[in-house]
Amino acid sequence: MHISLEKQVALVTGASSGLGYASAKALAAAGAAVVVNYRSQAEPAEALVNEIREAGGQAVAIEADVSQEDAVDAMFAEAIDTFGALDILVANSGLQKDAAIADMTLDDWRTVLDVNLTGQFLCARAALRQFARQGPRPWVSRANGKIIHMSSVHQLIPWAGHVNYAASKGGVDLLMRSIAQEVGEQRIRVNGIAPGAIRTAINEQATQGEAARDLLRLIPYGRIGDPQDVANAVVWLASDLSDYVHGTTLFIDGGMSLYPEFRDNG
Ligand code: BGC
């Protein structure tokens, strides 16, 4: 089955590495013009833009800290100036600042909530405002806009030593579902993706050597994920093939959320 996102414009936050990078690349390969958002890593963002252009696609890199209202609004304005419309938002930017609860600073808490949750609110709001301004674009999609929130298995699975991260992702779940409930009638589709252990910079230590063996015990399907596993789902959720999928979270986790510790316990 061939998925085409020709004539659509996608904005991917946190696209200079990891899941955002793979998602931006996959959306471009499916024909979308792509805004590659980054905060500090200009080099890989620009390299991805060049790669997309060399392959005949359209892309632009835009720097913005998604936790800052003005920066987000300026990024969306520039994106729309560049490509004339917006069809797909992948609200992906996210980070971890891990610490035992007793040692977690207010700064660790706030930074994670600001980027992972407030950032998704600000970007979703900016996208929804643009979807309303531009109206339906039936020649590109049945939906009047699509938003994909990058969550985590930790919207469901509590995570000791990472309470800021787990709280932010629990928040993303209800943010996504509440927005979906609110804007469904406008024919705007809103969904989430909850990745499990995917090999990226965010979990480099946990996915290598001895630690990787421990991690595999938590993954019934028996392998650590690749960014492409998530990017494939992003492309599908952005396309009309998923036109009746709304307000749901797709877990891409090799079964991590199946409570594998119970295989021979309990
Ligand atoms: C986290 C990773 C972790 C994975 C599974 C993700 O959301 O960012 O660090 O390996 O969840 O626990």
Side-chain angles (χ1 to χ4, degrees):
M1 197 173 305
H2 178 68
I3 297 184
S4 170
L5 299 175
E6 293 285 337
K7 300 193 175 66
Q8 300 203 45
V9 180
L11 188 154
V12 184
T13 66
S16 57
S17 69
L19 303 182
Y21 183 97
S23 301
K25 197 169 162 170
L27 289 164
V34 179
V35 178
V36 176
N37 159 255
Y38 67 95
R39 188 181 58 84
S40 56
Q41 298 178 278
E43 228 171 81
E46 293 293 354
L48 176 57
V49 165
N50 288 336
E51 194 184 320
I52 292 170
R53 288 183 183 158
E54 273 160 25
Q58 286 179 281
V60 67
I62 304 183
E63 188 273 334
D65 176 344
V66 295
S67 69
Q68 301 301 316
E69 187 172 32
D70 291 351
V72 168
D73 291 345
M75 167 171 69
F76 276 78
E78 188 181 336
I80 287 138
D81 244 29
T82 308
F83 292 127
L86 181 74
D87 303 286
I88 300 155
L89 164 66
V90 183
N92 163 78
S93 293
L95 46 79
Q96 288 181 215
K97 283 193 174 291
D98 311 328
I101 180 71
D103 301 325
M104 188 173 285
T105 64
L106 180 57
D107 200 49
D108 290 340
W109 170 266
R110 281 205 174 125
T111 304
V112 170
L113 269 291
D114 280 358
V115 173
N116 296 12
L117 185 56
T118 305
Q120 295 218 6
F121 156 69
L122 289 172
C123 290
R125 189 183 68 174
L128 289 165
R129 287 176 175 170
Q130 174 58 23
F131 296 159
R133 259 194 304 270
Q134 72 193 18
R137 289 163 40 84
W139 58 94
V140 299
S141 178
R142 294 177 72 182
N144 297 334
K146 290 147 294 193
I147 299 181
I148 298 163
H149 290 275
M150 198 60 75
S151 185
S152 162
V153 287
H154 299 296
Q155 73 170 43
L156 180 71
I157 305 175
W159 205 14
H162 311 256
V163 300
N164 47 0
Y165 185 84
S168 74
K169 295 303 188 179
V172 166
D173 176 37
L174 272 173
L175 172 75
M176 181 280 288
R177 288 195 287 145
S178 301
I179 297 173
Q181 193 189 60
E182 187 170 331
V183 304
E185 278 185 350
Q186 299 163 35
R187 279 279 179 117
I188 292 165
R189 285 200 303 116
V190 185
N191 290 289
I193 292 180
I198 313 290
R199 212 182 286 280
T200 69
I202 209 169
N203 58 14
E204 213 170 339
Q205 278 173 0
T207 53
Q208 269 161 29
E210 189 85 356
R213 269 191 298 280
D214 289 346
L215 186 59
L216 280 172
R217 286 197 269 117
L218 300 178
I219 308 172
Y221 195 60
R223 74 169 170 88
I224 293 168
D226 298 314
Q228 192 64 42
D229 292 316
V230 174
N232 291 341
V234 166
V235 170
W236 179 74
L237 275 180
S239 81
D240 281 1
L241 282 184
S242 62
D243 189 58
Y244 206 52
V245 181
H246 178 59
T248 202
T249 296
L250 194 52
F251 280 72
I252 305 200
D253 66 350
M256 189 178 236
S257 48
L258 296 172
Y259 300 98
E261 306 87 325
F262 277 77
R263 278 176 294 199
D264 43 23
N265 277 307

